[in-house]
Amino acid sequence: MYREEAAPGIPGAVRWASVSRGEEPVRVLPDGCLDLLWSSRSGLLVAGPDRIAHLSVSVPGERWFGLRLPPGTGPAVFGVAADELRDQRVPLADLWGRAAAELADHVAAADARGWRVAALLEEVARGRLRAAGGPDPLGARVAARLAAGATVAATAAEVGLGARALHRRSQLLFGYGPKTLARILRMRRALDLAHGGAPLAEVAALAGYADQAHLTREVKELAGVPPTRLLPPAA
């Protein structure tokens, strides 16, 4: 079981909940985001930005609640550069110390059968954002341009940065350089189109791939499986 909804207090954020069946690992695709997580088994965690798909292993009945922060927002919430968390799942206590222990007590007392835990995570993240003066506005600008299919060079020019400066800022904000983020966002755009029913050849053209074979190679490299494995079976 998985469900999600917009987090109204943080633009672009999503709060979600799931209960594991424990049958096989869940393939979590890279998305340029950082998540604040709570697991009924592992407690409070931070999911750093992944470069390739992460296989999440849970026990049957394990409850998960999360707040997925939009690209570029996580560093302001967690107080650490995104590249320090890349490809990692880190206990929140490693970053926040006593504050994480206090939050864990509140989460443990919350009703885990609904949205109260995810809403609590959102409330805490919103407070951290206010204290930090908000996210770096560059993150949203760069992510939006790359998600729309702009080239890295055009994006750098639009935000007024040189290639090296954009790469450094992207490492801090997203966990990797703009070329990697562009590849990940293009894959997400392509999979959204494919889930909407478009044939893969058409998806490849619309998402900016050279052809369907190029799309398949890119998805397999980032997701670990070809796109057909990520789509529901044909009726």
Side-chain angles (χ1 to χ4, degrees):
M1 183 200 75
Y2 175 86
R3 56 179 177 167
E4 65 177 39
E5 66 179 14
I10 303 176
V14 172
R15 57 193 193 191
W16 57 269
S18 71
V19 178
S20 173
R21 295 178 179 177
E23 297 172 349
E24 59 183 26
V26 174
R27 188 178 302 274
V28 181
L29 302 184
D31 55 11
C33 300
L34 281 72
D35 285 52
L36 176 57
L37 310 173
W38 180 79
S39 155
S40 59
R41 180 171 65 106
S42 303
L44 289 165
L45 302 167
V46 178
D50 295 319
R51 288 174 291 187
I52 60 174
H54 171 77
L55 296 180
S56 178
V57 180
S58 301
V59 299
E62 183 174 357
R63 298 190 310 279
W64 286 89
F65 291 87
L67 176 70
R68 184 179 308 118
L69 298 162
T73 299
V77 172
F78 298 118
V80 63
D83 57 350
E84 295 186 30
L85 302 172
R86 184 174 54 226
D87 299 326
Q88 298 185 64
R89 301 299 183 267
V90 178
L92 185 64
D94 289 357
L95 305 180
W96 290 3
R98 179 184 293 272
E102 294 173 354
L103 176 58
D105 290 339
H106 288 302
V107 170
D111 179 7
R113 294 172 299 171
W115 286 105
R116 289 184 57 188
V117 172
L120 176 57
L121 298 180
E122 179 191 349
E123 179 183 344
V124 171
R126 190 167 63 244
R128 300 274 301 193
L129 272 176
R130 283 197 303 266
D136 185 336
L138 180 70
R141 293 179 64 193
V142 169
R145 295 304 302 138
L146 295 177
T151 65
V152 172
T155 300
E158 186 168 322
V159 301
L161 292 175
R164 290 184 179 180
L166 178 59
H167 186 83
R168 288 194 299 270
R169 296 284 292 278
S170 295
Q171 291 273 2
L172 297 175
L173 289 169
F174 311 119
Y176 23 66
K179 289 185 179 180
T180 297
L181 179 63
R183 291 177 65 212
I184 288 170
L185 295 178
R186 181 170 62 174
M187 178 190 71
R188 305 290 304 205
R189 184 166 69 251
L191 291 175
D192 285 344
L193 289 168
H195 276 100
L200 287 180
E202 181 181 342
V203 166
L206 291 172
Y209 294 95
D211 50 30
Q212 184 175 337
H214 183 205
L215 163 66
T216 297
R217 289 195 304 272
E218 284 279 291
V219 172
K220 190 171 183 179
E221 184 172 337
L222 293 169
V225 293
T228 51
R229 285 277 304 277
L230 301 172
L231 301 175

